[in-house]
Amino acid sequence: MSLSEKLIEKDYFCLYEFDLWLFENIFLFERAFFFDLVMGDLKMDDISVLVCDDSALMRNVISRVIDNTPGMKVIDKAMNGQFLISKLEYTKPDVIILDIEMPVMTGIEYLRYRKEHGPDIPVIILSSIAEKGAAVTMEALELGACDFITKPNGSVSVDINSVADRLIEMIASYGGAQARFNGKNVYSTDYYIRLNSERAIERKLHEALGDKAKDVVIPPPKPIPKDFETFIPREKKNIVAITPLHAPGKIKLIAIGISTGGPNALREVFANINPGVRQPIMVVQHMPAGFTKEFAASLDRICPLSVKEAEDKDVLEEGHVYIAPGDFHIVVENNGFGKYQIRTNQLPQRNGHRPSADVMFESVAKVFKYNALGVIMTGMGKDGAVELAEMRKQGAWTLGQDEKSAIVYGMPRVAWELGAVQKQVALDKMAEEISSLAMANY
């Protein structure tokens, strides 16, 4: 009996009113299992991880989360930056999980050393100080760290499960990209999205059913052979053709939506954007509350334009960049005096995010119609894709980051499949493309 049949027979859906998302994911997993039965298991390489934390407890807890995830393996551990350097002389991980506060050599000191001496291995910050010290966290990103996660409940905690899904996503994204660069055959980020969804289903079952949840066994998803992606609607879709209601006009506003891989990608774009760009720029970067103000300040130090964290009722000014504050949506509206202003709100999350790129793009489509440029860049999931398609329908200019340069080709892929993207652009060309379009259509 299939998993979904078992659930329906037990009347779990009726008793506990599982939402449509749960139902759809169950059938998605069963389609994946079908192809596994047809094709058999593939030989996959592990994404290798080195964990650096001064707490033996945290090293072990983090390692258990990683080692219990198919396709990932902790190959070594270090108690501080100095030990990490010595370990890297004979181990070659695909990604490093790094604490900041450590004796002998801190995480920041290691990143300074790495910047000068290498090796150029992706680093994910996992630290309690990330929550207390946004400035230190941004310094870590400036020194080359890829992204960050805040430890739950202080520096020593067994409650790592609260951030486990996010940690796995980041390892899959940054470590997976490095592993493929190193010639490994590793699971795709889509596989880990399914895996996290499967774990979410298990949590929902346990919350709803208690001890009865043990009667339902959900096997972990397995990778779908690339040749069979066309059979899975969520994996690959035909490109939708959008016929705009109006030809693109002058660009009065630029809007950028971005997620996983975004901090360094935005640094690349804003460090190289032409100072002649006069249009205001709104940015949604998925980032927790308390960090976006310092993130905006870090971008302001390298950008020829003025960058700030957006505030409610900020009037849009030429040559200014506005970063959505963590835990707030941002929209744009006409203030009635011939000016446009930003409004912030805490309406429910959309696509699992607040701020949401879809919320921003939706307002831009309504207010500016064909007088805007929408850009969607690296990120897991689909946030921004639907409303970028609406911007395109209204006649706006649109760009998307290409697959080769995106850390995670999720958001830009869905947008491309929806016909929302006029042109796909590599990261190292994105600043130039935005600048030329903006200046030619000012």
Side-chain angles (χ1 to χ4, degrees):
M1 181 182 294
S2 72
L3 170 62
S4 54
E5 287 170 339
K6 185 185 293 186
L7 288 173
I8 292 169
E9 182 183 75
K10 290 179 179 291
D11 207 23
Y12 287 162
F13 286 105
C14 297
L15 287 172
Y16 296 98
E17 298 181 348
F18 284 118
D19 56 25
L20 181 60
W21 169 87
L22 175 59
F23 190 85
E24 289 177 341
N25 273 280
I26 288 170
F27 284 98
L28 174 64
F29 298 142
E30 289 184 350
R31 288 198 297 272
F33 301 152
F34 168 77
F35 287 113
D36 289 325
L37 290 173
V38 172
M39 297 298 292
D41 290 336
L42 297 176
K43 173 60 179 174
M44 305 298 288
D45 298 315
D46 288 328
I47 299 172
S48 57
V49 186
L50 197 157
V51 177
C52 183
D53 194 295
D54 64 317
S55 164
L57 173 61
M58 284 306 302
R59 291 197 300 273
N60 291 331
V61 170
I62 294 166
S63 296
R64 280 201 299 271
V65 169
I66 296 169
D67 287 336
N68 287 333
T69 301
M72 295 183 182
K73 183 179 181 180
V74 174
I75 61 169
D76 216 331
K77 304 172 189 176
M79 65 178 67
N80 57 51
Q82 189 174 87
F83 273 92
L84 174 57
I85 292 170
S86 65
K87 300 274 188 178
L88 291 173
E89 292 179 1
Y90 57 87
T91 58
K92 293 184 179 180
D94 297 312
V95 63
I96 297 167
I97 308 302
L98 183 68
D99 191 12
I100 291 180
E101 288 184 304
M102 297 180 291
V104 184
M105 178 182 278
T106 67
I108 293 295
E109 289 169 340
Y110 166 72
L111 288 170
R112 290 179 183 142
Y113 174 91
R114 170 184 173 273
K115 189 172 184 178
E116 184 175 349
H117 302 284
D120 189 15
I121 296 170
V123 174
I124 298 168
I125 299 296
L126 177 60
S127 177
S128 59
I129 199 172
E131 185 171 8
K132 296 181 291 184
V136 175
T137 305
M138 292 307 124
E139 182 181 3
L141 295 179
E142 290 174 1
L143 288 170
C146 297
D147 221 320
F148 68 93
I149 306 174
T150 59
K151 282 181 185 174
N153 301 329
S155 58
V156 178
S157 171
V158 295
D159 191 26
I160 198 70
N161 287 333
S162 62
V163 296
D165 287 355
R166 184 66 177 144
L167 177 62
I168 295 305
E169 285 183 2
M170 286 194 181
I171 293 173
S173 301
Y174 299 108
Q178 182 70 16
R180 283 183 284 273
F181 178 80
N182 292 336
K184 290 185 177 181
N185 181 31
V186 298
Y187 294 169
S188 69
T189 52
D190 287 341
Y191 167 77
Y192 289 102
I193 292 174
R194 294 201 309 275
L195 179 62
N196 278 346
S197 295
E198 173 265 327
R199 287 173 171 172
I201 289 174
E202 287 187 337
R203 289 194 292 269
K204 282 175 178 277
L205 286 171
H206 281 286
E207 289 171 5
L209 306 177
D211 291 339
K212 291 182 180 180
K214 66 178 182 294
D215 296 332
V216 181
V217 179
I218 307 176
K222 295 181 180 180
I224 300 170
K226 194 169 183 63
D227 291 344
F228 282 78
E229 283 184 351
T230 52
F231 289 87
I232 307 296
R234 292 191 180 188
E235 293 291 326
K236 187 174 182 179
K237 297 180 180 178
N238 294 326
I239 307 303
V240 176
I242 292 179
T243 302
L245 299 174
H246 197 285
K250 296 292 185 182
I251 297 173
K252 297 181 180 179
L253 175 71
I254 300 168
I256 301 174
I258 192 167
S259 186
T260 309
N264 286 336
L266 288 176
R267 290 179 62 80
E268 170 85 12
V269 170
F270 286 120
N272 294 290
I273 199 164
N274 193 303
V277 172
R278 304 314 305 151
Q279 293 90 338
I281 303 174
M282 294 171 61
V283 179
V284 163
Q285 159 71 64
H286 298 155
M287 189 172 282
F291 295 92
T292 43
K293 185 173 184 178
E294 191 60 41
F295 180 57
S298 72
L299 292 178
D300 187 60
R301 290 191 285 271
I302 62 172
C303 182
L305 310 179
S306 178
V307 185
K308 71 182 294 286
E309 182 186 55
E311 298 178 63
D312 193 43
K313 296 186 179 180
D314 268 347
V315 175
L316 295 178
E317 297 182 30
E318 288 190 346
H320 282 63
V321 180
Y322 302 87
I323 308 295
D327 202 34
F328 283 85
H329 294 305
I330 59 170
V331 297
V332 62
E333 67 176 20
N334 192 317
N335 67 2
F337 299 98
K339 298 283 187 179
Y340 297 98
Q341 66 182 14
I342 289 174
R343 298 307 306 266
T344 63
N345 67 68
Q346 288 190 301
L347 292 174
Q349 293 183 351
R350 191 180 302 186
N351 305 315
H353 298 287
R354 188 172 60 212
S356 162
D358 261 336
V359 170
M360 175 182 66
F361 287 151
E362 181 181 33
S363 74
V364 173
K366 289 178 180 178
V367 175
F368 287 92
K369 299 187 183 300
Y370 53 86
N371 293 122
L373 166 62
V375 183
I376 193 163
M377 297 179 65
T378 178
M380 192 172 289
K382 63 180 182 179
D383 187 37
V386 171
E387 296 302 335
L388 187 71
E390 180 60 27
M391 285 184 63
R392 183 73 197 107
K393 183 179 179 181
Q394 295 298 324
W397 303 84
T398 59
L399 299 173
Q401 189 172 349
D402 70 355
E403 182 173 7
K404 187 175 181 180
S405 68
I407 291 294
V408 184
Y409 188 60
M411 289 160 49
R413 182 191 67 181
V414 178
W416 174 255
E417 291 172 347
L418 291 176
V421 175
Q422 287 178 287
K423 182 178 181 180
Q424 296 193 94
V425 182
L427 176 59
D428 62 358
K429 300 292 183 183
M430 187 62 79
E432 179 184 347
E433 190 69 28
I434 292 173
S435 299
S436 61
L437 271 176
M439 294 171 70
N441 295 281
Y442 177 59

